[in-house]
Amino acid sequence: MKKICPWALSSPEMKKYHDEEWGRPSRDDHHLFMMLNLEGQQAGLSWAIILKRRPGMIEAYHHFEPHILATMNETMIKQLLNDERIIRSRRKIEAVRDNAKAYLQLVKDYGSLSHFIWGFVDYQPIVNNINTLEELPTQNELSRQMSKALKAYGFKYVGPVIIYAYLQAIGVIDDHLNDCPYKSK
């Protein structure tokens, strides 16, 4: 009998995220950029907190439009520091700005964030053989290589553990448990 990944049962929001988003391959640059920033916002926090604040963060961060975020000035940063919808950390707010600048340069060089990300895996998702939560890695060689490449562009909050979670979220890596009905066939 198929059963859902146990972590998804912690709340209705987590189940919806698991069932509708997590592990589904995304090649949409806007979604990839937003998720990269949201994963970075999670650093030191739980994903449940990010999911609850995601709608507010999307609004506060101008729908993660990189051309707007790249121009963020001190006045905008101060406004965001008082915005209860987001994670109010100066370093994380500045990281969103810096990531937008890095994104714009990366897109000039690669054509798209999607091309850059998916190029690491020859444009095919990696489907891992995972039977228990204890078997889930927190990072791998791919996440270490991608982290290094993103940091070279100036991206922030893109360490190998964050990038591994990001790759799971955007479907580059399918780490659904083997008996989960959402596991890639």
Side-chain angles (χ1 to χ4, degrees):
M1 177 177 189
K2 296 273 186 186
K3 57 184 176 183
I4 193 169
C5 297
W7 62 263
L9 302 175
S10 62
S11 72
E13 294 88 4
M14 290 294 274
K15 183 167 183 335
K16 181 175 174 29
Y17 173 68
H18 170 274
D19 295 357
E20 297 176 9
E21 292 182 61
W22 191 76
R24 293 193 182 201
S26 175
R27 289 176 171 80
D28 175 79
D29 258 31
H30 181 261
H31 181 254
L32 295 173
F33 178 69
M34 177 186 73
M35 290 303 292
L36 184 63
N37 280 287
L38 292 176
E39 289 290 348
Q41 296 294 303
Q42 181 192 353
L45 303 170
S46 73
W47 188 246
I49 291 170
I50 301 306
L51 279 181
K52 286 180 183 173
R53 293 193 183 189
R54 181 165 59 170
M57 285 195 278
I58 290 170
E59 285 182 26
Y61 285 119
H62 305 279
H63 298 271
F64 288 96
E65 172 52 51
H67 290 91
I68 295 172
L69 297 174
T71 65
M72 196 182 308
N73 59 28
E74 185 59 28
T75 300
M76 293 168 75
I77 291 170
K78 285 181 180 176
Q79 288 172 340
L80 288 169
L81 283 168
N82 292 311
D83 193 328
E84 294 180 0
R85 299 174 296 174
I86 70 164
I87 306 304
R88 293 182 291 171
S89 157
R90 176 176 279 279
R91 288 182 58 206
K92 288 183 178 182
I93 293 167
E94 289 172 347
V96 171
R97 178 200 58 210
D98 295 345
N99 288 350
K101 291 177 181 179
Y103 168 87
L104 294 173
Q105 183 58 53
L106 184 144
V107 168
K108 281 183 185 176
D109 294 345
Y110 283 88
S112 71
L113 180 58
S114 178
H115 183 67
F116 173 82
I117 299 286
W118 285 95
F120 277 85
V121 294
D122 294 325
Y123 304 92
Q124 294 298 314
I126 296 168
V127 181
N128 286 329
N129 183 18
I130 306 289
N131 290 307
T132 66
L133 290 178
E134 292 74 27
E135 294 175 28
L136 282 171
T138 58
Q139 62 179 293
N140 64 5
E141 186 56 31
L142 171 62
S143 73
R144 288 186 285 275
Q145 289 174 6
M146 192 175 295
S147 169
K148 185 177 180 181
L150 288 167
K151 286 178 182 179
Y153 267 94
F155 284 90
K156 303 290 193 290
Y157 287 94
V158 291
V161 173
I162 289 171
I163 292 303
Y164 192 86
Y166 172 65
L167 294 172
Q168 291 172 308
I170 63 170
V172 170
I173 297 175
D174 181 345
D175 273 346
H176 285 283
L177 299 186
N178 290 336
D179 60 355
C180 179
Y182 296 94
K183 181 76 170 183
S184 297
K185 306 299 178 225

